[in-house]
Amino acid sequence: MLDQTGVSHFWWGNVVMIAIGVTMILLAIVKKYEPLLLIGIGFACVISNVPGSDLILPGGLFNYAYHGIELLIVPPLIFFGVGAMTDFGPMIAHPKLVILGAMAHLGIFIALIGAKALGFSINEAGAIGIIGGADGPMAVFVCVKLAPHLLPQVAVAAYSYMALMPLIQPPVIKALTTRKERLIRMKQMRPVSRLEKIAFPVVIGIVVNLFFPPVAPLITMLMLGNLFKECLVTDRLYKTAANDLMNVIIIILTVGIGSTMNATTFLTFKTIEIVILGLIAFLGGTASGVIGAKIMNLFLKEGEKINPCLGSAGIASVPIAARVAHIVAAKEDRENLLIYHAMGPNLAGVFGTAISGGIMLALLGVK
């Protein structure tokens, strides 16, 4: 009877991974680090390391959730929901902050070069490097195209670090800025017209499909969701995309990712290398964004300077990175409300990651 249960197949690796899953759940509940992501991932990680669970076997519910990610059904739907929740006004109103969305992507290339130096193939290195964009759906999309066998490690690294950004980013921001810089207040942005907000998703959809077709499915769905929101005549559709549909997709996404964290396949030296490279990519992207803002300030007049905290928001984790930048600045001055300004580079980071991923796929001949 004992042999027919999972007890006889239990080993120390399962204990380690269960501990990691429980830690994720505790961080979500106690520290409130992105609970929508970490609770689902952590719980599925725990269950996938209980030997004998039917949920992760072929035909199991968690296994079907993973197939939704692997078949690239879930990532575009995530972008669709994000688009319906997003106001691109800050990016349209303050276009120079878009530069920070490019500067904060140095981490992608640091990780790519590091992975290649460690012996990964160029396709694998590209899949690992895209973690640095801090865009989970884009990381999944590019990884499936370049190195599908690394999808569990890349997806877990991308989403885990996104959730832990309130822990990862502040020390880097503080180390690279002075208190005087963190106290810089931004000018109020100009109002953005309804026509601009409606035209934006249409124009971007055309441009992306023309010049970056490898990643067009994601950005196209992002723009469609945003158009539903901004046109003001499809309230039912935009509210469904932003709420009910998004909630369902998040459940599928998190349990699908967490179900891949089985000790047998996950506790390998290659996984450790990918996780470390992913962390380096996040740190490098945060640092390059902050330094980029400081460089821009050298050419800006007094009164027009950018709070360097905004540079850290240039990586594409919407709205987590923007929120972290705001919190770091607010700790120095409670009345310094950076969140709306931070959304500009944060949203630009989504396009920066898409462009980086599109270039990789195009250069490597992947459609």
Side-chain angles (χ1 to χ4, degrees):
M1 287 182 62
L2 198 61
D3 287 341
Q4 292 176 3
T5 68
V7 175
S8 60
H9 303 286
F10 209 79
W11 63 296
W12 66 268
N14 296 128
V15 176
V16 171
M17 295 307 297
I18 288 173
I20 291 173
V22 170
T23 301
M24 288 181 172
I25 295 171
L26 290 176
L27 286 172
I29 296 172
V30 178
K31 296 292 185 179
K32 294 182 171 57
Y33 289 157
E34 298 307 318
L36 295 183
L37 294 176
L38 282 187
I39 288 182
I41 294 174
F43 184 77
C45 174
V46 171
I47 298 303
S48 67
N49 283 280
V50 177
S53 173
D54 288 339
L55 284 168
I56 61 171
L57 297 176
L61 186 59
F62 287 5
N63 185 256
Y64 280 125
Y66 175 71
H67 282 311
I69 299 168
E70 188 179 36
L71 296 173
L72 297 181
I73 298 169
V74 170
L77 290 176
I78 286 285
F79 265 57
F80 180 52
V82 170
M85 294 189 294
T86 300
D87 178 6
F88 284 99
M91 195 172 79
I92 299 170
H94 204 164
K96 71 181 177 184
L97 293 182
V98 172
I99 298 172
L100 298 177
M103 291 181 169
H105 282 71
L106 184 62
I108 290 176
F109 303 99
I110 292 173
L112 188 153
I113 294 168
K116 193 71 181 72
L118 289 173
F120 288 93
S121 69
I122 186 62
N123 279 29
E124 291 174 332
I128 295 168
I130 204 67
I131 296 172
D135 186 333
M138 188 64 70
V140 169
F141 190 88
V142 172
C143 185
V144 169
K145 296 280 187 178
L146 291 178
H149 57 285
L150 294 183
L151 180 57
Q153 292 91 337
V154 169
V156 169
Y159 277 100
S160 297
Y161 287 139
M162 283 170 59
L164 295 175
M165 279 173 66
L167 193 64
I168 296 171
Q169 283 194 307
V172 179
I173 300 171
K174 290 179 180 178
L176 295 174
T177 59
T178 64
R179 185 173 186 273
K180 183 180 178 181
E181 288 175 323
R182 295 194 292 275
L183 286 170
I184 293 175
R185 291 194 177 190
M186 303 291 293
K187 286 184 176 180
Q188 185 173 352
M189 293 183 180
R190 70 170 179 86
V192 179
S193 70
R194 180 61 51 188
L195 177 60
E196 288 177 287
K197 290 188 175 184
I198 292 174
F200 181 80
V202 176
V203 172
I204 294 297
I206 294 171
V207 171
V208 168
N209 279 272
L210 273 176
F211 295 101
F212 302 100
V215 294
L218 295 181
I219 301 301
T220 299
M221 293 303 293
L222 180 74
M223 294 298 101
L224 177 59
N226 188 246
L227 182 59
F228 280 159
K229 174 181 183 291
E230 300 297 352
C231 70
L232 301 183
V233 293
T234 54
D235 281 1
R236 284 172 55 192
L237 298 182
Y238 118 72
K239 288 177 180 177
T240 297
N243 296 289
D244 300 338
L245 178 62
M246 190 64 164
N247 291 336
V248 171
I249 295 301
I250 287 174
I251 294 170
I252 294 172
L253 175 76
T254 55
V255 300
I257 290 172
S259 68
T260 67
M261 297 176 68
N262 184 271
T264 306
T265 56
F266 210 77
L267 288 181
T268 65
F269 187 68
K270 182 177 285 189
T271 298
I272 295 172
E273 289 180 324
I274 292 172
V275 169
I276 293 173
L277 286 167
L279 179 59
I280 292 171
F282 265 63
L283 294 174
T286 301
S288 65
V290 173
I291 293 170
K294 291 165 72 80
I295 292 172
M296 287 178 66
N297 281 343
L298 297 176
F299 302 94
L300 295 174
K301 297 178 183 178
E302 199 65 39
E304 296 182 358
K305 295 189 181 296
I306 298 168
N307 188 312
C309 293
L310 295 181
S312 68
I315 57 179
S317 182
V318 179
I320 306 171
R323 192 160 60 235
V324 171
H326 165 74
I327 290 171
V328 172
K331 285 186 177 179
E332 306 293 346
D333 177 5
R334 291 182 182 178
E335 297 181 2
N336 191 5
L337 305 177
L338 277 189
I339 185 67
Y340 193 66
H341 298 277
M343 285 302 296
N346 199 191
L347 293 168
V350 174
F351 296 104
T353 306
I355 291 169
S356 301
I359 291 172
M360 283 184 195
L361 295 175
L363 291 177
L364 295 172
V366 178
K367 296 182 180 181

